[in-house]
Structure formats: C-alpha cells, structure tokens
Amino acid sequence: MNGPAHLFAPFTLRGVTFRNRIAVSPMCQYSSDDGFANDWHVVHLGSRAVGGAGLVMVEATAVTADGRITYGDHGLWKDEHIATLSRITRFLRQQGAVPGIQIAHAGRKGSCEVPWKGGAAIAPGAKNGWQVVAPSAVAFKEGDPVPHALSREEIAGITQAFVATAGRALKAGFEVLELHAAHGYLLHEFLSPLSNRRTDDYGGSFDNRIRFTVETAVALRAAWPEHLPLFVRISATDWVEGGWTDSESVKLASVLKGKGVDLIDCSSGGTTPDAKIPNTPGYQVPFADRIRREAGMPTGAVGLITEAEQADAIVRDGKADMVLLARAFLRDPYWALHAAQALGADAAAPEQYGRAFAKRK
C-alpha cells in the first residue's frame, strides 16, 4: 500500500466522530423472541466493537410487530425493548465504536419462516404468520400471500411508528439512525414501479413514488436530535428492466440531502426474486461513487468488500466515505484489527488484546 491508510482516518458527521471508516452492516440474526434483543445480540454486536469497527449497526429493527420479516426479527415497537439495547449501546461505546440502529418495515416480504427453516412465506392466521402490507395488492412472488394495499391513513400511521421507534432508539443510547428503504421492503416497495401500482399521490410519477420515503425521512429528522446523523439505506437499482434505477437513486439522494439526511448507504436489489445481480467483488461500489459525486453527499459502500486494500482504495479514491461489511465481519469479528495490521495502521485493539494486534513494523 502506498501512503497512509485512508480507511483508518476519522470521519465526522454532525456531532459524531467515527474512529475509522469501517462499519458493521446491519445483519438480521432472526434470534429475537417478541422483538427482544438477548445475550446473542450482546455478544454478536459487542465482539465487532471489540474487533475495531468504527460504527456497529444493529440489524433491521421492526417498527411494528407486523413489520418484521420473520417472527424471529428484532424490534423496537414498545418501550420494554429498550433495556437490553441500552446495555448493548453502553458496551459498544466503551469499546470505542459508535452505536447505530437500522429501523425498518418489511412490507410484503414479511411473515416468513426463519432462513434456516427455509424462509418461506407464512399465510395470515397460520402459526407465526400475519397479514402483510404493501403499496399495492401484488405479492412478492407467485404463491406468496397477497398483501393488503395500504390506505393513506395507514401510511401515515407507519410513518408515526418509525418516529416512535426513533424516540426509543434515542433513549436506548444510539447515535446513528438509519432508515431502511432497500432490499424490497416497504419503503423500497413504494419507490419501485415493479411493486407500486398505485394511482394516487403515492404512486405513478417519481415524485409520488418517493413521497413515503421522503415524508418518513423528514419526520425522523425532526424527531432525531440535530447533532446526531441520519442515514438512509437504498437499493440503488432493482437490476430489472422497468424497475427503480441508479439515476432515480441520484435524484432521491439529492432530495434527501435537502431534507437533512447525512449519508446514503448504497445497496441494491431485493424487490423481485428473479433479478440478475452480478455478485462480483465491489459490484455495488459504483453506486456509492455516482451518488457521492452527483448528489454531493456522503455515501457508504457495501457488497462483497472483503479485503483491507480493497476497502482502503474505496475511501482513498473518493468512491465512498465509509465501507459497510457484513459477511466479512461474520467470518471475522476482528476484521478491522486485521485490516489495520495489513495496512500498517494503528489498531484500536482493547488493552486485553493488545499483544495480539500490535502494529507490524
């Protein structure tokens, strides 16, 4: 590597400074009972903070019970969920990581079995199943239950559920809030013409399809403290002809920037089961690069980022401001410390692990 490790340069958004540009991406664990975090989450998230990440994001967290993907999803739809999360955020901060949380509604992709039991959709009324909702009465795939098309009043109610969840997240000690508008879940379903067949002012034109996401982001920005960052994760493209496009993502990012959103977390796909997605190393980085350049706002890059030099180059070349890793952190909770060693950077290892992660000379 030539020059300093840009991956380990501090990064500040609003009143929050991240010790490096490495984030643990929200990763569903499907290990909650009635939405509650438990010892699994404490260890899963805490170990990544010990492992040197600058930002540790809690998995997609449902804003309502029927907004979960599976019955095992994490949630923050009631005050009783706060206590265990407070323990987690306290530990993350003690280890030098910023605690973040992604809040979400699964929409028509909810009411499913957990992945290791097949992940199939569960019909309303069946054990562990419920009625799913969407912008339009169009199922995700053939054979899935048809969702209930939301009324305007129900849309407004879900926005308020996001706001209420944000208030609980603040009480729990989170410093970054991310709105999930990607991967074919509810907000993305409104964005994409593949899933949004509405004829009212929440469907049809670009301005109408982004309305729910923008309204929710505006409501969250008003509720979330001014000194704390607000992220939005989007699927930059559906990878399907006639679907949501990267050009629309640039336009949406520009709108969200004007509404006080601080970073666009750039993923892709998820709104159809048959999308042809490349799945090559760094395949989604160009989306973060384009949005950063054309919308003029910070971005996070995700998707098959596995190597230290690869991640450092993304930041060094100005393609994104942060890198968010998922499977790489599942395989190695100490990925950030190992990356520091590989890049010759100072490792932020805890004292207890200092001898194992001393900087290589």
Side-chain angles (χ1 to χ4, degrees), residues 281-299:
Y283 70 101
Q284 295 176 135
V285 174
F287 302 131
D289 183 18
R290 182 179 177 188
I291 289 171
R292 188 176 188 270
R293 286 184 290 103
E294 296 185 22
M297 72 181 302
T299 59

Side-chain angles (χ1 to χ4, degrees), residues 150-230:
L150 290 165
S151 69
R152 293 173 59 88
E153 293 74 21
E154 289 168 331
I155 292 169
I158 292 173
T159 293
Q160 288 310 305
F162 273 101
V163 171
T165 296
R168 297 184 191 102
L170 183 64
K171 290 179 181 178
F174 289 99
E175 297 176 43
V176 170
L177 185 70
E178 178 168 272
L179 175 62
H180 197 352
H183 300 164
Y185 300 124
L186 186 61
L187 293 178
H188 183 192
E189 290 164 18
F190 274 82
L191 296 175
S192 175
L194 299 175
S195 46
N196 186 343
R197 312 286 177 81
R198 299 176 74 97
T199 57
D200 64 0
D201 54 1
Y202 283 94
S205 70
F206 170 81
D207 287 342
N208 285 351
R209 285 183 283 114
I210 71 169
R211 190 180 306 279
F212 185 20
T213 297
V214 173
E215 287 178 345
T216 304
V218 168
L220 289 175
R221 184 69 274 175
W224 194 239
E226 184 69 21
H227 69 285
L228 298 180
L230 174 63

